[in-house]
Amino acid sequence: MMRSSLLDKLKGDINDHYKKLSDERKETGCTILCDCWSDGRTKSFIVFSVACPRGTLFLKSVDLSGHVDDAQYLFELLEAVALEVGVENIVQVLTDSAASYVYAGRLLMAKYPSLFWSPTAFNCISKILEDFSKKELVSTVLEEANAISRYIYSQAWTLNMMRKYTGGRELIHPNISKLVSNFLSLRSIMIQEASLKQIFSHSEGLSSIYSRGPDAQAFKSLLYSDRFWKSARETVSVSEPLLKILRVVDGDMPAMGYIYEGMERAKIEIKAYYNGIEDKYVPLCDIIDRRWNMHLHSPLHAAAAFLNPSIFYGLNFKVDSRMKNGFQEAMLKMAADDKVKSEITKEHPVYINAQGALGIDFAIMGRRLNAPEQLRLSCISSRRPVAVDETLKRDSFHAGAYDGIFLLAA
């Protein structure tokens, strides 16, 4: 009896939570999240979730086996989900960046002009790192770093010695994509350079049977190779700005307002590392631009950065034409009628010039302390207008790797 009562209560709580999230997305807008999974052989699934400021709600999963490369099938699937959630409630749809999803996403936007589609930021940045890894220097040092990790983790003695000298810190980073894990492992190896060299430099290591043999010799050869450590420092230095962005989009705060500026800053840091030598930094910056423009750059990212007070009001920040045009395009696309457009026109200079509540000391201090809500401006379908002064209030939702963007009513 008690078990039945508790189960009924739990079911009621879940239904109440479901209803609250369903009602909220009608007011604030939502993001459709499409998470793809494959066993690498024949089975493929796609999991649909709906995210809004209050939380993320699982919608359903679909077996995609045999249809992964069928763009028309994927479009029809995305369309069915959009209609189920309500096209008028959706701000954007996020999917994988495979060609079939790209085509399906573009078909969806063509049929429903109020929607935005893009791949996730995590996916786009992973593609940039993948292109980096095709550079000879990077591919070589990543493989050598993997060889170091494989040797250490292949036997208990070397693993225990590594943990002894690193204070229990690990070199490998599971539970993320293999490529990103490779870059993070290289970074860990570089940080632990001195500790790793101690494994076979003390008497315990020198007398061990594990210090002999071809694998041990190859391991020691890499550990004392100046060329390896030089390549490791260079690779870590140029990949770290991108890994920083991954940490942001995989964190506990709304991330979209930081991606645009983060990508620009990454190029600046890479250029600075190479002291402005074009032959060094230009090829890498071209990779970033190509992937960014091909996959991720959209009016929403520009608008989110534009409406992020911590960025927009920064001393060194300059609004470029792409950001300005992106903001205007996003507003025009999402403003449903002349009344909403009129409100945007009125509120725009208030935000630009930090007038009213945006200019007081408390608000100025909050620019750096608080994460901004995403696009808290009156610009979506029939939702009622919101003052730009509200931009400094903070959300509590988790955007995670999907870098979701939401328009919130007061």
Side-chain angles (χ1 to χ4, degrees), residues 110-388:
K111 188 167 183 178
Y112 302 100
S114 64
L115 298 182
F116 287 94
W117 164 87
S118 75
T120 66
F122 191 95
N123 192 281
C124 176
I125 296 168
S126 295
K127 290 293 185 182
I128 294 174
L129 291 173
E130 181 181 337
D131 289 344
F132 277 17
S133 70
K134 294 174 183 177
K135 297 288 184 182
E136 183 177 358
L137 179 145
V138 178
S139 64
T140 299
V141 77
L142 286 178
E143 179 53 41
E144 290 172 336
N146 283 335
I148 290 174
S149 296
R150 283 195 300 269
Y151 177 74
I152 289 176
Y153 282 86
S154 66
Q155 47 209 3
W157 186 87
T158 51
L159 180 57
N160 290 333
M161 290 292 286
M162 183 273 290
R163 288 171 175 167
K164 173 183 176 180
Y165 290 117
T166 63
R169 294 180 177 85
E170 301 291 340
L171 300 182
I172 61 175
H173 300 265
N175 302 324
I176 52 177
S177 69
K178 181 180 179 181
L179 181 68
V180 175
S181 177
N182 287 343
F183 279 95
L184 291 175
S185 294
L186 175 64
R187 181 178 182 274
S188 296
I189 289 171
M190 191 193 75
I191 291 172
Q192 299 297 335
E193 176 183 355
S195 299
L196 294 176
K197 287 179 178 178
Q198 292 185 68
I199 293 178
F200 288 128
S201 63
H202 289 198
S203 58
E204 183 180 2
L206 291 171
S207 61
S208 170
I209 60 172
Y210 296 103
S211 66
R212 310 181 190 102
D215 290 342
Q217 296 306 314
F219 172 75
K220 288 189 284 187
S221 177
L222 279 177
L223 281 187
Y224 292 96
S225 166
D226 290 337
R227 192 268 315 155
F228 170 76
W229 293 111
K230 180 181 178 182
S231 297
R233 282 189 286 272
E234 180 175 349
T235 300
V236 169
S237 295
V238 299
S239 62
E240 181 62 18
L242 296 165
L243 294 174
K244 287 179 182 176
I245 304 175
L246 285 183
R247 295 186 194 105
V248 171
V249 302
D250 201 27
D252 292 326
M253 59 177 285
M256 181 172 270
Y258 296 92
I259 296 172
Y260 188 103
E261 190 264 349
M263 299 295 275
E264 293 300 316
R265 189 178 348 106
K267 291 187 290 184
I268 292 173
E269 291 182 17
I270 291 172
K271 180 179 179 180
Y273 173 78
Y274 287 118
N275 295 315
I277 300 175
E278 291 189 2
D279 290 347
K280 296 285 188 179
Y281 79 84
V282 168
L284 298 180
C285 290
D286 284 346
I287 289 174
I288 294 175
D289 284 336
R290 183 171 64 252
R291 286 293 184 182
W292 168 247
N293 292 328
M294 182 189 308
H295 290 299
L296 194 61
H297 180 262
S298 77
L300 279 183
H301 289 93
F306 187 88
L307 293 176
N308 182 342
S310 66
I311 292 175
F312 183 82
Y313 296 121
L315 295 177
N316 298 320
F317 178 74
K318 294 181 180 179
V319 180
D320 60 27
S321 59
R322 287 201 308 168
M323 180 178 290
K324 190 179 297 183
N325 293 338
F327 168 76
Q328 292 172 349
E329 184 178 342
M331 296 303 102
L332 289 174
K333 185 171 183 175
M334 303 174 81
D337 53 46
D338 291 340
K339 181 180 179 181
V340 175
K341 292 176 183 177
S342 177
E343 289 292 335
I344 295 174
T345 303
K346 291 177 183 178
E347 294 174 355
H348 186 259
V350 174
Y351 177 73
I352 293 290
N353 300 308
Q355 297 172 351
L358 289 171
I360 64 176
D361 292 341
F362 184 77
I364 292 172
M365 181 176 62
R367 294 171 186 170
R368 304 301 302 180
L369 297 178
N370 295 331
E373 288 179 348
Q374 305 301 300
L375 289 189
R376 192 174 179 87
L377 192 63
S378 56
C379 58
I380 184 166
S381 64
S382 60
R383 294 154 207 157
R384 57 194 176 87
V386 182
V388 181

